[in-house]
Tab-separated table of all heavy atoms in Angstrom:
chain	number	residue	atom	x	y	z
A	1	VAL	N	-6.679	-7.841	-8.522
A	1	VAL	CA	-5.236	-7.618	-8.361
A	1	VAL	C	-4.918	-7.060	-6.992
A	1	VAL	O	-5.507	-6.034	-6.592
A	1	VAL	CB	-4.667	-6.695	-9.490
A	1	VAL	CG1	-3.170	-6.495	-9.292
A	1	VAL	CG2	-5.032	-7.228	-10.865
A	2	PHE	N	-3.979	-7.669	-6.314
A	2	PHE	CA	-3.411	-7.149	-5.040
A	2	PHE	C	-1.938	-6.908	-5.257
A	2	PHE	O	-1.230	-7.754	-5.740
A	2	PHE	CB	-3.600	-8.176	-3.926
A	2	PHE	CG	-4.985	-8.447	-3.490
A	2	PHE	CD1	-5.758	-9.446	-4.064
A	2	PHE	CD2	-5.591	-7.667	-2.464
A	2	PHE	CE1	-7.067	-9.679	-3.692
A	2	PHE	CE2	-6.882	-7.918	-2.079
A	2	PHE	CZ	-7.637	-8.895	-2.686
A	3	LEU	N	-1.492	-5.689	-4.894
A	3	LEU	CA	-0.081	-5.428	-4.769
A	3	LEU	C	0.218	-5.204	-3.291
A	3	LEU	O	-0.497	-4.420	-2.625
A	3	LEU	CB	0.304	-4.174	-5.560
A	3	LEU	CG	0.028	-4.171	-7.058
A	3	LEU	CD1	-1.342	-3.549	-7.354
A	3	LEU	CD2	1.109	-3.416	-7.803
A	4	THR	N	1.183	-5.852	-2.741
A	4	THR	CA	1.525	-5.646	-1.333
A	4	THR	C	2.847	-4.938	-1.213
A	4	THR	O	3.761	-5.104	-2.050
A	4	THR	CB	1.595	-6.973	-0.552
A	4	THR	OG1	2.774	-7.705	-0.933
A	4	THR	CG2	0.365	-7.831	-0.812
A	5	SER	N	2.967	-4.124	-0.169
A	5	SER	CA	4.199	-3.368	0.093
A	5	SER	C	4.418	-3.291	1.604
A	5	SER	O	3.507	-3.028	2.372
A	5	SER	CB	4.082	-1.961	-0.509
A	5	SER	OG	5.123	-1.145	-0.055
A	6	ASN	N	5.692	-3.520	1.998
A	6	ASN	CA	6.064	-3.370	3.401
A	6	ASN	C	6.636	-1.986	3.662
A	6	ASN	O	7.240	-1.746	4.754
A	6	ASN	CB	7.153	-4.392	3.748
A	6	ASN	CG	6.641	-5.815	3.710
A	6	ASN	OD1	5.443	-6.070	3.964
A	6	ASN	ND2	7.453	-6.749	3.310
A	7	ASN	N	6.431	-1.058	2.722
A	7	ASN	CA	6.884	0.336	2.897
A	7	ASN	C	8.394	0.487	3.009
A	7	ASN	O	8.888	1.381	3.697
A	7	ASN	CB	6.197	0.991	4.109
A	7	ASN	CG	4.697	1.128	3.942
A	7	ASN	OD1	4.209	1.452	2.871
A	7	ASN	ND2	3.954	0.858	5.002
A	8	SER	N	9.138	-0.402	2.356
A	8	SER	CA	10.576	-0.259	2.375
A	8	SER	C	11.045	0.857	1.454
A	8	SER	O	12.166	1.338	1.587
A	8	SER	CB	11.262	-1.571	2.012
A	8	SER	OG	10.952	-1.951	0.655
A	9	ARG	N	10.193	1.221	0.509
A	9	ARG	CA	10.438	2.417	-0.310
A	9	ARG	C	9.072	2.961	-0.756
A	9	ARG	O	8.056	2.281	-0.705
A	9	ARG	CB	11.321	2.090	-1.514
A	9	ARG	CG	10.661	1.196	-2.594
A	9	ARG	CD	11.520	1.146	-3.834
A	9	ARG	NE	10.998	0.258	-4.847
A	9	ARG	CZ	10.088	0.617	-5.752
A	9	ARG	NH1	9.585	1.826	-5.709
A	9	ARG	NH2	9.676	-0.254	-6.641
A	10	GLU	N	9.097	4.178	-1.222
A	10	GLU	CA	7.869	4.833	-1.656
A	10	GLU	C	7.496	4.358	-3.054
A	10	GLU	O	8.321	4.269	-3.942
A	10	GLU	CB	8.058	6.381	-1.636
A	10	GLU	CG	6.770	7.171	-1.857
A	10	GLU	CD	5.833	7.067	-0.689
A	10	GLU	OE1	6.294	6.784	0.425
A	10	GLU	OE2	4.606	7.290	-0.878
A	11	MET	N	6.203	4.058	-3.263
A	11	MET	CA	5.734	3.742	-4.585
A	11	MET	C	5.534	5.016	-5.429
A	11	MET	O	5.297	6.070	-4.876
A	11	MET	CB	4.371	3.013	-4.490
A	11	MET	CG	4.415	1.658	-3.744
A	11	MET	SD	5.363	0.400	-4.621
A	11	MET	CE	6.878	0.475	-3.732
A	12	SER	N	5.629	4.870	-6.709
A	12	SER	CA	5.468	6.012	-7.613
A	12	SER	C	4.038	6.523	-7.620
A	12	SER	O	3.059	5.787	-7.367
A	12	SER	CB	5.878	5.641	-9.035
A	12	SER	OG	4.942	4.756	-9.619
A	13	ASP	N	3.853	7.825	-7.903
A	13	ASP	CA	2.536	8.397	-8.006
A	13	ASP	C	1.706	7.721	-9.080
A	13	ASP	O	0.520	7.531	-8.947
A	13	ASP	CB	2.627	9.901	-8.271
A	13	ASP	CG	3.155	10.684	-7.061
A	13	ASP	OD1	3.142	10.141	-5.948
A	13	ASP	OD2	3.593	11.847	-7.247
A	14	ALA	N	2.381	7.366	-10.199
A	14	ALA	CA	1.680	6.741	-11.325
A	14	ALA	C	1.089	5.426	-10.893
A	14	ALA	O	-0.056	5.095	-11.285
A	14	ALA	CB	2.649	6.539	-12.506
A	15	LEU	N	1.802	4.648	-10.112
A	15	LEU	CA	1.266	3.370	-9.650
A	15	LEU	C	0.141	3.582	-8.655
A	15	LEU	O	-0.922	2.911	-8.730
A	15	LEU	CB	2.412	2.525	-9.029
A	15	LEU	CG	2.002	1.104	-8.620
A	15	LEU	CD1	3.137	0.122	-8.913
A	15	LEU	CD2	1.651	1.041	-7.123
A	16	LYS	N	0.349	4.522	-7.746
A	16	LYS	CA	-0.674	4.753	-6.710
A	16	LYS	C	-1.992	5.253	-7.307
A	16	LYS	O	-3.090	4.916	-6.851
A	16	LYS	CB	-0.164	5.757	-5.679
A	16	LYS	CG	0.863	5.168	-4.718
A	16	LYS	CD	1.177	6.127	-3.589
A	16	LYS	CE	2.006	5.453	-2.510
A	16	LYS	NZ	2.255	6.305	-1.338
A	17	ARG	N	-1.907	6.053	-8.400
A	17	ARG	CA	-3.097	6.575	-9.019
A	17	ARG	C	-3.972	5.472	-9.591
A	17	ARG	O	-5.197	5.593	-9.716
A	17	ARG	CB	-2.742	7.560	-10.145
A	17	ARG	CG	-2.360	8.940	-9.715
A	17	ARG	CD	-2.456	9.930	-10.882
A	17	ARG	NE	-1.726	9.498	-12.074
A	17	ARG	CZ	-0.430	9.750	-12.258
A	17	ARG	NH1	0.266	10.444	-11.370
A	17	ARG	NH2	0.169	9.330	-13.365
A	18	ARG	N	-3.379	4.378	-9.988
A	18	ARG	CA	-4.102	3.315	-10.624
A	18	ARG	C	-4.675	2.318	-9.646
A	18	ARG	O	-5.392	1.372	-10.032
A	18	ARG	CB	-3.155	2.560	-11.578
A	18	ARG	CG	-2.826	3.352	-12.870
A	18	ARG	CD	-1.581	2.845	-13.547
A	18	ARG	NE	-1.403	3.440	-14.856
A	18	ARG	CZ	-0.918	4.664	-15.084
A	18	ARG	NH1	-0.552	5.415	-14.055
A	18	ARG	NH2	-0.787	5.139	-16.308
A	19	CYS	N	-4.445	2.505	-8.381
A	19	CYS	CA	-4.861	1.548	-7.384
A	19	CYS	C	-5.697	2.162	-6.261
A	19	CYS	O	-5.574	3.348	-5.975
A	19	CYS	CB	-3.609	0.895	-6.688
A	19	CYS	SG	-2.492	0.044	-7.794
A	20	LEU	N	-6.572	1.361	-5.695
A	20	LEU	CA	-7.175	1.698	-4.402
A	20	LEU	C	-6.088	1.473	-3.332
A	20	LEU	O	-5.307	0.550	-3.430
A	20	LEU	CB	-8.388	0.833	-4.123
A	20	LEU	CG	-9.556	0.893	-5.067
A	20	LEU	CD1	-10.635	-0.062	-4.675
A	20	LEU	CD2	-10.117	2.331	-5.156
A	21	HIS	N	-6.092	2.336	-2.331
A	21	HIS	CA	-5.077	2.193	-1.273
A	21	HIS	C	-5.705	1.586	-0.024
A	21	HIS	O	-6.790	1.994	0.378
A	21	HIS	CB	-4.468	3.550	-0.912
A	21	HIS	CG	-3.425	3.485	0.145
A	21	HIS	ND1	-3.688	3.758	1.475
A	21	HIS	CD2	-2.135	3.108	0.100
A	21	HIS	CE1	-2.600	3.601	2.177
A	21	HIS	NE2	-1.643	3.188	1.386
A	22	LEU	N	-5.021	0.619	0.516
A	22	LEU	CA	-5.481	-0.022	1.766
A	22	LEU	C	-4.311	-0.200	2.674
A	22	LEU	O	-3.328	-0.839	2.319
A	22	LEU	CB	-6.109	-1.386	1.439
A	22	LEU	CG	-6.542	-2.239	2.653
A	22	LEU	CD1	-7.629	-1.564	3.453
A	22	LEU	CD2	-7.030	-3.642	2.152
A	23	TYR	N	-4.391	0.373	3.848
A	23	TYR	CA	-3.304	0.236	4.840
A	23	TYR	C	-3.790	-0.697	5.950
A	23	TYR	O	-4.888	-0.490	6.526
A	23	TYR	CB	-2.922	1.590	5.438
A	23	TYR	CG	-1.779	1.499	6.430
A	23	TYR	CD1	-0.437	1.481	5.931
A	23	TYR	CD2	-1.981	1.361	7.764
A	23	TYR	CE1	0.635	1.352	6.817
A	23	TYR	CE2	-0.907	1.254	8.690
A	23	TYR	CZ	0.392	1.246	8.156
A	23	TYR	OH	1.441	1.101	9.053
A	24	ILE	N	-3.028	-1.718	6.228
A	24	ILE	CA	-3.348	-2.684	7.316
A	24	ILE	C	-2.293	-2.516	8.417
A	24	ILE	O	-1.137	-2.857	8.200
A	24	ILE	CB	-3.396	-4.130	6.821
A	24	ILE	CG1	-4.390	-4.267	5.682
A	24	ILE	CG2	-3.723	-5.062	7.959
A	24	ILE	CD1	-4.484	-5.715	5.122
A	25	PRO	N	-2.667	-1.986	9.569
A	25	PRO	CA	-1.732	-1.849	10.691
A	25	PRO	C	-1.694	-3.146	11.507
A	25	PRO	O	-2.433	-4.100	11.218
A	25	PRO	CB	-2.321	-0.693	11.488
A	25	PRO	CG	-3.814	-0.879	11.307
A	25	PRO	CD	-3.986	-1.414	9.896
A	26	PHE	N	-0.821	-3.181	12.521
A	26	PHE	CA	-0.924	-4.279	13.478
A	26	PHE	C	-2.296	-4.218	14.142
A	26	PHE	O	-2.806	-3.125	14.416
A	26	PHE	CB	0.186	-4.157	14.533
A	26	PHE	CG	1.546	-4.574	14.040
A	26	PHE	CD1	2.581	-3.669	13.949
A	26	PHE	CD2	1.786	-5.888	13.684
A	26	PHE	CE1	3.841	-4.037	13.502
A	26	PHE	CE2	3.047	-6.302	13.226
A	26	PHE	CZ	4.088	-5.359	13.144
A	27	PRO	N	-2.882	-5.357	14.427
A	27	PRO	CA	-4.186	-5.345	15.045
A	27	PRO	C	-4.167	-4.861	16.505
A	27	PRO	O	-3.151	-4.998	17.195
A	27	PRO	CB	-4.614	-6.850	14.997
A	27	PRO	CG	-3.299	-7.578	15.015
A	27	PRO	CD	-2.342	-6.733	14.233
A	28	ASP	N	-5.295	-4.286	16.924
A	28	ASP	CA	-5.371	-3.921	18.337
A	28	ASP	C	-5.640	-5.197	19.168
A	28	ASP	O	-5.767	-6.307	18.616
A	28	ASP	CB	-6.435	-2.843	18.566
A	28	ASP	CG	-7.827	-3.280	18.140
A	28	ASP	OD1	-8.069	-4.539	18.010
A	28	ASP	OD2	-8.683	-2.425	17.920
A	29	THR	N	-5.756	-5.038	20.463
A	29	THR	CA	-5.892	-6.191	21.324
A	29	THR	C	-7.140	-7.006	20.997
A	29	THR	O	-7.063	-8.251	20.885
A	29	THR	CB	-5.941	-5.728	22.801
A	29	THR	OG1	-4.734	-5.061	23.136
A	29	THR	CG2	-6.121	-6.919	23.757
């Protein structure tokens, strides 16, 4: 399962607890 978010709002703590967190920034050069 993948859930994607553009950070337009904060996700609930309950949802975050159930997931691994992965942040993908803009790539470097």
Side-chain angles (χ1 to χ4, degrees):
V1 181
F2 292 91
L3 301 93
T4 71
S5 169
N6 294 328
N7 295 320
S8 64
R9 70 170 176 85
E10 190 69 24
M11 297 292 101
S12 69
D13 290 344
L15 185 141
K16 286 189 171 185
R17 281 198 307 272
R18 288 162 169 79
C19 302
L20 299 177
H21 180 261
L22 174 63
Y23 183 84
I24 302 180
F26 283 115
D28 60 19
T29 299

